[in-house]
Amino acid sequence: MLITDNKKETEAQVILFNSKEKNLLNFLDEEEQEIVLKNLKLNLPFITLKMHQQTIIAVDVSSNKQGNDLKEALRIKGYQVYQFLKDHKINTVRLISQTPLEKKLSKAFVEGCLLSNYSFDKYIKEKNKYLLTIYASGSILNNKDKQELNTICEAVRITKDLVNEPYSYLNAVQLSNDIKQYTKSLPIKVTVWNEAKIKSEKMGGILAVNKGSSLPPTFNILTYQPQNAINKQPLVLVGKGVVFDTGGLSLKPTTNSMDMMKCDMAGAATVVGSLFAIAKLNLPYYVVGLIPAVENRPGYEAVCPGDIITMYDKTTVEVLNTDAEGRLILADALHYAKRLKPNLVIDFATLTGAAVRAVGKEAAVIMSTAPKEIVKKVKNAGNKTAERTVEFPLWDEYAQYMKSDIADLKNVSSEAGAITAGKFLQHFTNYPWIHFDIAPAFVNSPYNYRGKYATAYGVRLMCKFVKNLTKDVQQNKKRKNTNRNKSR
Ligand code: BES
Ligand code: MG
Ligand code: ZN
């Protein structure tokens, strides 16, 4: 899947047109115009016709929608056109615009096509050999846009592959190896702490959760610090890396709640994909990724309900439900983050069923202690990429639910599941922080261009967010310079 420069011969042409404009179809003969106009009334997502032996796919980009909604509608059109191309085994198309379309709209359409071109076929004999290449001239999308689209799609693919991999392949050590492999060609430094190091550091949350496993945990530190970084203090991204969540001794019932729990490292995969894209796009921003990776399983040595553990920061926690494990490993990573003196920490985690029940696959639940302007930027990036967020509160009152009679904290509460999990994490932070409970990271039925199973929720949002941060600073600099020149 690729978008690239023009090529003379392609199997089909995709023409974006706006049915509300006049003379739009004058490149067609009368008969063809009639076909299109007739079909327009049927409200189809696109119209196909043969012209000079070539398949033409005419996509009406007119819509009652605006702004971000229109962009999302075009991504979904891209998905629909992709389905048609795949069904007809058309591998190469040229993209043409009959209407002076805003660049971001053609970009959204192409993004929808390219993101759809994913399947997890590693374990299938019959590989999916279908590969779509879109050719577009510089007048539709410039090289920078094409490179950006290709990179983001590649990052999304990496994230999806990591999430879709079953535990039989992707244990914590393998996750570390895959992280190294995926970032090998990029200026990202990867440090992996093994079990001995994690023990010597006394990361009590990570160790407790992994106790039932016969395999060791890892703690992964990914550093991207480009020389031209505009920030001195890093943005830290923390990802929950539970490679499989059985619930531990507080075992989950298999059907419905355990079946899909290989996805419990989706937060980790989002961090890997985001760093991959940020580094590959050479964004001048200092970003560190932290990934605690464990397996949560019952076993002879597994942590017991009622056990009291001592976390990395010395807080004691009464573990009343071993299925509330994500917060225990994230807490240690959040404590580690303090030494980086971050300007902002964002964590991604498939943390609670409560978040899934509250908002479904339509949004992530977020909670924050960061300044309002920053949260606004994050939400804005989410709206622009259709990776939406719903903010829940972190009111003081919720802290009481996590108090234990016999330890500093307990790890569960029967009230306000998503919020109290956030409240637990907040205890381990002392910097501006945003928590993402990423319900949309994994879906059990096809979800347009996002696909079925792993969706890579958060990767496109993070790229947009960091890109906008770098833009803001550069624009401010420019403004300052022009002001200075003026006052001279
Ligand atoms: N990984 C699960 C949360 C989850 C459930 C994510 C379904 C995606 C889909 C997490 O570790 C968990 O088990 N949470 C418990 C916490 C409870 C015991 C307080 C939950 O939400 O039920
Ligand atoms: Mg759990
Ligand atoms: Zn979990």
Side-chain angles (χ1 to χ4, degrees), residues 68-210:
N68 294 329
D69 292 340
L70 176 56
K71 269 173 71 178
E72 177 65 352
L74 284 167
R75 283 188 203 99
I76 291 172
K77 285 226 176 201
Y79 164 67
Q80 290 162 329
V81 168
Y82 167 83
Q83 295 278 320
F84 174 87
L85 296 171
K86 187 177 177 186
D87 289 347
H88 292 79
K89 301 193 170 60
I90 298 170
N91 290 285
T92 53
V93 297
R94 186 204 316 257
L95 185 67
I96 292 168
S97 190
Q98 272 296 307
T99 170
L101 198 60
E102 271 185 272
K103 201 180 68 181
K104 61 178 175 203
L105 297 183
S106 4
K107 232 172 144 177
F109 174 81
V110 172
E111 187 176 51
C113 288
L114 295 182
L115 287 171
S116 303
N117 201 180
Y118 172 86
S119 64
F120 184 65
D121 60 8
K122 178 175 162 189
Y123 298 95
I124 310 179
K125 214 184 269 158
E126 287 273 313
K127 301 287 178 217
N128 166 35
K129 294 207 184 82
Y130 179 70
L131 188 75
L132 172 66
T133 307
I134 301 172
Y135 296 88
S137 73
S139 60
I140 299 187
L141 290 172
N142 62 33
N143 279 339
K144 215 176 146 206
D145 293 322
K146 289 176 197 168
Q147 193 209 348
E148 189 182 304
L149 281 164
N150 287 330
T151 301
I152 286 176
C153 289
E154 196 182 352
V156 164
R157 205 165 53 219
I158 289 171
T159 298
K160 286 184 176 181
D161 277 352
L162 283 169
V163 175
N164 286 328
E165 276 289 0
Y167 168 72
S168 54
Y169 169 80
L170 200 84
N171 55 50
V173 173
Q174 189 61 48
L175 176 57
S176 299
N177 290 340
D178 275 16
I179 291 171
K180 284 185 192 155
Q181 195 61 27
Y182 283 130
T183 54
K184 198 168 60 182
S185 59
L186 294 171
I188 296 176
K189 185 178 143 216
V190 179
T191 307
V192 179
W193 286 4
N194 63 13
E195 188 168 32
K197 175 71 177 166
I198 293 169
K199 275 185 178 155
S200 73
E201 290 279 331
K202 301 197 170 69
M203 297 178 113
I206 294 177
L207 290 166
V209 175
N210 201 67

Side-chain angles (χ1 to χ4, degrees), residues 20-35:
K20 289 187 182 143
E21 282 169 15
K22 276 194 188 138
N23 300 331
L24 64 120
L25 296 169
N26 46 15
F27 63 100
L28 302 175
D29 66 27
E30 257 173 44
E31 199 183 321
E32 288 158 351
Q33 290 202 20
E34 227 163 78
I35 301 178

Side-chain angles (χ1 to χ4, degrees), residues 240 242 244-247 252 261 263-265 296 322-327 349-352:
K240 173 176 172 183
V242 175
F244 198 86
D245 182 13
T246 66
K252 287 177 189 292
M261 277 303 128
C263 79
D264 216 15
M265 36 57 69
N296 186 25
T322 63
D323 198 12
E325 83 297 341
R327 60 198 75 183
T350 44
L351 202 63
T352 66

